[in-house]
Amino acid sequence: MESTTNLSGPMETHEILEQLRAESPARIEHAATVDELEILAAEVTGKHSPIAAGRRSLGSVPPDERRDLGRAINDVAVELNSLIDTRRAALEAVEASKALEGDRVDVTLPGRVPERGTTHLIQQVMDEIVDIFVAMGYTAATGPEAETEFYNFTALNFPVAHPTRLESDTLYLDYGDVPEEILLRTHTSPMQARYMERHDPPVYLVVPGRVFRRDQLDPTHSPVFHQIEGLAVDTDITFGDLKGVLDHFAREFLGPDIKTKFIPHHFPFTEPSAEMHVYTNDRWMELIGCGMVNPAVFEAVGYDPDEVTGFAFGMGADRLAMVRHGITDLRHLFDPDRRILEQYR
Ligand code: DAH
C-alpha cells in the first residue's frame, strides 16, 4: 500500500480524514502482532498515508482554509498515533511475556541425574582380592594374555604329553611359522615363571588377569574367565605359612566365621598340592588351588631350590564373586543386561 493519495481539495481532505478517523481505531485494535501494527501504522500515519498527503497539500490550500485543515490533519494524526502507541505497548507486553513463558524454568521438576557407569562386579572382586594381599605386603603385576607354550606349560613342569596342552582344551593362536606355539593363557600361573626370571627372591606376588579355555558357556563354565595367582618365595616358607595366608584371605573376603579345609590335590607346578575348600551355603566348596612351589619350577627360572622355598595359589574371581553374592549362573556376569549388573554397584 505504497500509493500516494492525491487529494484534490480541502473538502475532500476533510472527508478522507473523517473516514480515516472512523475506520482506523478498529483496525488498530485488531492488529494481532507488533509487526502487523507497524504495517498498519505506515498505512495510517506514515509517509504515504492520507495524513502525509494532506500535509503536503496544505501549500496549495487557500490561506483562509489552511489553518483549519492543518489543525484537523494534526488532530487526526495525534489521535491515531496515540491509539497506535497504546496498542503497540499492549502488544509488546504480550509478546514479552510469551517469550518469558517460553524460557521459563520449572524449578520444581526433579533433576536429571546423569547415568554413571560402575566397575563390573568381577573387576570389583579382583580389586578387592588384590587389596587383601597387598595389605599383607604382596606386589601386584599383570602378564600377557597371549602366552608362549613355554611359560604356560613347560616352565610350570607340565609334561610334554599333558592332556591340557591339547587343542581340545587350549586355544592356540595362529602366528604362522614361529619357533614356539602361542596360545591364550589357560591360567595366570605363567606369571610365576615370568616374574621369577626377572626378580630375585624374596617374591610376594599377586597376578589378577583374564584366562581362556576351550569350554562351552554354561552355568558354571565360560571360555573366558578371571583368576588371581599368588606366589610367595623366601627362605623357610612352609605349608603352614600357605594355610595361614589363605585362611586369612578367606576370612577377609568371606567373613570372620568362614570355615576352611585343605585337601590333597595335584598340580604339576606344586608339590605337595592342595585345594582349599570353604564351607558356605550349607556345603563345602572348592575355592583355591595351591601348594608348595615344585623345585622343578625354581630350576626352570634359575632359582636354587636348596636356597628358597615357596608356595603358590590360584583362584577364580568369577567363582568367588558367585559364592559371595549368591549368583547361581555364571552367565549373568557376562550378560550386558544392566538390570542385572546394576545390582552390584
Ligand atoms: N593354575 C591352576 C588352575 O588354573 C590354579 C593353581 C593351582 C594355581 C595351584 C597355583 C597353584 O598357583 O599353586 O587350575
Side-chain angles (χ1 to χ4, degrees):
M1 267 178 263
E2 295 264 312
S3 69
T4 303
T5 317
N6 276 312
L7 304 172
S8 31
M11 272 324 287
E12 221 167 288
T13 305
H14 277 295
E15 267 169 40
I16 288 171
L17 288 173
E18 270 321 304
Q19 201 186 335
L20 200 62
R21 169 185 249 155
E23 288 172 356
S24 299
R27 296 182 68 198
I28 292 168
E29 205 46 47
H30 278 117
T33 64
V34 175
D35 286 350
E36 234 180 275
L37 182 68
E38 297 308 350
I39 291 168
L40 183 60
E43 192 189 315
V44 172
T45 61
K47 264 190 278 169
H48 303 295
S49 66
I51 287 176
R55 281 190 180 124
R56 278 194 301 273
S57 74
L58 280 178
S60 53
V61 170
D64 57 332
E65 290 176 31
R66 195 178 291 158
R67 226 175 127 211
D68 264 7
L69 186 59
R71 184 176 292 150
I73 292 171
N74 224 34
D75 287 351
V76 175
V78 167
E79 185 182 323
L80 295 183
N81 274 329
S82 139
L83 289 175
I84 289 167
D85 288 347
T86 307
R87 183 65 185 150
R88 183 186 291 112
L91 287 173
E92 279 173 355
V94 167
E95 286 176 15
S97 75
K98 270 196 197 140
L100 278 179
E101 181 71 21
D103 287 347
R104 200 170 87 173
V105 174
D106 182 350
V107 294
T108 67
L109 280 176
R112 276 180 222 139
V113 181
E115 290 199 55
R116 289 177 59 204
T118 51
T119 308
H120 191 279
L121 177 62
I122 295 173
Q123 188 63 49
Q124 289 176 35
V125 163
M126 292 211 287
D127 291 346
E128 203 181 311
I129 292 170
V130 167
D131 283 349
I132 292 171
F133 287 99
V134 166
M136 287 189 267
Y138 285 63
T139 298
T142 55
E145 292 175 356
E147 188 53 281
T148 63
E149 195 174 7
F150 174 78
Y151 286 113
N152 198 81
F153 293 125
T154 310
L156 297 173
N157 195 39
F158 280 78
V160 179
H162 196 281
T164 68
R165 292 192 189 230
L166 295 177
E167 283 192 23
S168 53
D169 288 7
T170 296
L171 294 151
Y172 285 86
L173 297 174
D174 187 359
Y175 264 62
D177 200 9
V178 283
E180 212 188 331
E181 291 289 353
I182 309 290
L183 46 79
L184 289 177
R185 66 178 175 191
T186 61
H187 51 180
T188 42
S189 305
M191 264 304 275
Q192 291 187 25
R194 281 184 178 277
Y195 195 87
M196 285 189 283
E197 268 187 356
R198 282 171 183 72
H199 298 86
D200 289 332
V203 169
Y204 292 90
L205 175 71
V206 273
V207 183
R210 193 169 7 201
V211 301
F212 308 84
R213 285 186 200 171
R214 204 170 189 124
D215 276 330
Q216 293 297 319
L217 190 61
D218 72 21
T220 54
H221 294 89
S222 161
V224 182
F225 58 105
H226 303 82
Q227 287 187 335
I228 290 114
E229 188 79 15
L231 176 69
V233 181
D234 210 328
T235 49
D236 302 323
I237 292 223
T238 67
F239 200 91
D241 296 323
L242 165 59
K243 288 178 76 175
V245 166
L246 292 185
D247 265 344
H248 173 76
F249 163 74
R251 286 194 300 272
E252 287 284 305
F253 188 73
L254 294 169
D257 300 325
I258 195 76
K259 273 191 275 180
T260 62
K261 71 177 178 188
F262 291 79
I263 63 168
H265 201 75
H266 171 78
F267 298 104
F269 38 94
T270 44
E271 182 58 36
S273 304
E275 274 181 352
M276 186 177 88
H277 291 224
V278 294
Y279 195 75
T280 166
N281 299 322
D282 299 329
R283 66 194 184 93
W284 286 101
M285 253 197 81
E286 182 262 309
L287 213 59
I288 305 180
C290 57
M292 300 307 290
V293 178
N294 193 317
V297 175
F298 285 145
E299 270 158 18
V301 300
Y303 279 14
D304 181 351
D306 293 329
E307 294 280 314
V308 290
T309 54
F311 63 77
F313 56 88
M315 58 183 106
D318 320 77
R319 169 163 246 225
L320 280 152
M322 288 171 76
V323 169
R324 197 172 64 176
H325 295 278
I327 299 164
T328 49
D329 192 328
L330 175 63
R331 292 170 296 188
H332 288 326
L333 292 176
F334 301 115
D335 191 327
D337 188 334
R338 288 170 31 180
R339 289 170 303 177
I340 296 172
L341 299 175
E342 279 170 354
Q343 295 173 48
Y344 306 107
R345 277 181 184 277

